[in-house]
């Protein structure tokens, strides 16, 4: 079964119909708002909002399954290591100590530390779905046209388009080479020792690299033969028109970003929401 990770599958819905540059700006606004504030209530709202966007975008779970596994592993390791290396950092931020229980003199579990680490975990959890939505719902050609429309050099815009197209191609090539090698007796299953599996994986990566270089050379020659880069401007087959829905989306995300700034400056009067101070 072919992997669908990072693969663009065109659909007709609200998210897919947005301009590529609109989705990029909205992604930066939402991500910036989450990175700016340390209020778990606000970050939880953005998490729910990103899940809502994921639902209406109709992205297939197969497209994000592997990525979610890596993200879950990263969040788990990050949560544990944060506590191991600095178990009292939350108390320094909030200025109080509410002990829950302790392992020994150094490792004390406090409400402040839990709040800090849960807030930090939700920050990552809110950004990842937004990033996946952006990559999986954006047509690379349309996105390149949008970048060129806002005066980015068309060579740089086309480079971005090729990069977005290259991810799913690399994954498909890896899968094809892996299946071909396994049909010749290469064992990647858990029956083999870990060192042997690493060695066998390298045997897949080597032809993958040469295959990638060959495709790059083919694409480069094709672009040269068609005179790519000869003129200062170029036209685009895929349109990059800004519609009313794009403007509404930008306004909504801008309001969410401004909301994080207002909460920080006027309500919390700090980047951190401190429920421990009465």
């Amino acid at each position: 079964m072919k992997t669908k990770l990072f693969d663009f599958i065109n659909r007709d819905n609200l998210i897919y119909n947005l301009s590529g540059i609109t989705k990029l700006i909205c992604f930066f606004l939402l991500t910036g708002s989450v990175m700016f504030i340390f209020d778990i209530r606000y970050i939880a709202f953005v998490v729910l909002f990103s899940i809502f966007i994921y639902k209406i975008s109709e992205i297939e779970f197969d497209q994000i399954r592997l990525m979610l596994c890596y993200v879950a592993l990263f969040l788990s390791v990050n949560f544990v290591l944060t506590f191991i290396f600095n178990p009292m950092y939350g108390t320094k931020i909030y200025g109080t100590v509410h002990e829950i229980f302790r392992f020994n003199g150094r490792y004390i579990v406090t409400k402040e530390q839990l709040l800090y680490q849960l807030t930090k975990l939700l920050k990552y959890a809110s950004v990842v779905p937004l990033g996946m939505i952006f990559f999986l719902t954006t047509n690379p050609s349309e996105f390149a046209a949008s970048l060129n429309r806002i005066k980015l050099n068309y060579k740089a815009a086309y480079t971005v388009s090729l990069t977005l197209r290259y991810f799913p191609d690399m994954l498909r090539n890896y899968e094809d080479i892996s299946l071909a090698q396994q049909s010749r007796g290469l064992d990647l299953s858990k029956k083999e020792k870990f060192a042997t599996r690493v060695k066998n994986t390298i045997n897949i990566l080597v032809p993958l690299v040469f295959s990638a270089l060959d495709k790059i050379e083919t694409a480069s020659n094709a672009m040269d033969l068609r005179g790519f880069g000869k003129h200062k401007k170029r036209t685009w087959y895929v349109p990059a028109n800004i519609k009313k829905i794009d403007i509404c989306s930008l306004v909504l995300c801008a309001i969410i970003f401004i909301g994080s700034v207002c909460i920080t400056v006027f309500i919390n009067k700090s980047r951190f929401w401190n429920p421990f101070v009465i």
Side-chain angles (χ1 to χ4, degrees):
M1 182 177 179
K2 294 294 182 182
T3 180
K4 297 181 180 179
L5 183 64
F6 290 129
D7 211 353
F8 173 77
I9 302 173
N10 195 23
R11 296 181 175 88
D12 185 16
N13 60 47
L14 175 65
I15 305 302
Y16 276 83
N17 292 335
L18 291 174
S19 167
I21 193 63
T22 298
K23 281 181 273 194
L24 179 64
I25 295 173
C26 289
F27 171 71
F28 282 139
L29 286 173
L30 294 174
T31 302
S33 67
V34 169
M35 293 297 105
F36 180 75
I37 195 171
F38 261 87
D39 190 324
I40 194 171
R41 301 167 300 176
Y42 177 85
I43 297 173
F45 161 74
V46 177
V47 171
L48 294 176
F49 183 69
S50 63
I51 293 173
F52 170 73
I53 296 175
Y54 165 75
K55 288 292 184 181
I56 64 176
S57 66
E58 300 175 353
I59 296 174
E60 296 180 14
F61 184 69
D62 287 341
Q63 293 178 264
I64 63 173
R65 179 187 300 167
L66 183 61
M67 181 60 69
L68 287 179
C69 292
Y70 285 123
V71 170
L73 178 62
F74 167 76
L75 292 179
S76 301
V77 172
N78 181 271
F79 189 89
V80 173
L81 291 180
T82 299
F83 180 75
I84 290 175
F85 287 106
N86 208 337
M88 300 300 289
Y89 186 67
T91 61
K92 296 177 183 178
I93 293 174
Y94 300 110
T96 57
V97 179
H98 292 82
E99 181 179 332
I100 301 176
F101 60 89
R102 64 173 62 201
F103 297 105
N104 52 43
R106 171 174 169 79
Y107 293 109
I108 304 172
V109 178
T110 62
K111 293 181 180 180
E112 289 81 1
Q113 184 69 15
L114 283 179
L115 177 61
Y116 165 71
Q117 291 194 210
L118 287 174
T119 304
K120 185 179 176 182
L121 185 146
L122 279 181
K123 276 178 173 284
Y124 294 127
S126 63
V127 171
V128 171
L130 294 172
M132 289 191 292
I133 291 167
F134 170 71
F135 279 110
L136 296 176
T137 64
T138 304
N139 186 321
S141 297
E142 190 275 334
F143 183 49
S146 299
L147 291 174
N148 184 231
R149 183 171 180 175
I150 61 172
K151 307 305 179 182
L152 180 68
N153 186 281
Y154 76 85
K155 296 177 185 178
Y158 200 74
T159 301
V160 174
S161 174
L162 289 177
T163 302
L164 292 176
R165 291 178 182 277
Y166 199 61
F167 280 118
D169 286 343
M170 283 284 289
L171 291 169
R172 280 190 288 267
N173 289 341
Y174 176 84
E175 193 172 69
D176 291 339
I177 295 171
S178 175
L179 292 174
Q181 295 283 41
Q182 290 180 62
S183 68
R184 294 180 175 86
L186 192 72
D187 194 356
L188 297 174
S189 67
K190 295 181 180 180
K191 296 178 182 179
E192 286 287 356
K193 295 180 180 179
F194 179 75
T196 305
R197 278 185 285 163
V198 171
K199 180 182 177 181
N200 291 342
T201 301
I202 293 175
N203 291 334
I204 296 174
L205 294 178
V206 171
L208 178 65
V209 170
F210 283 107
S211 173
L213 293 174
D214 183 59
K215 287 191 174 184
I216 291 172
E217 184 178 3
T218 302
S220 177
N221 291 335
M223 292 168 68
D224 288 338
L225 289 172
R226 289 165 174 78
F228 183 84
K230 181 179 179 180
H231 302 289
K232 293 183 178 180
K233 296 182 180 180
R234 64 159 291 173
T235 57
W236 298 87
Y237 178 76
V238 179
N241 299 322
I242 301 297
K243 302 178 285 292
K244 289 184 178 180
I245 188 62
D246 292 284
I247 297 174
C248 293
S249 300
L250 289 171
V251 170
L252 175 61
C253 292
I255 290 172
I256 293 175
F257 176 79
I258 294 171
S260 68
V261 176
C262 292
I263 291 173
T264 300
V265 175
F266 299 109
I267 299 177
N268 294 339
K269 297 181 180 179
S270 169
R271 291 183 62 205
F272 295 89
W273 172 58
N274 191 345
F276 304 105
V277 177
I278 301 177

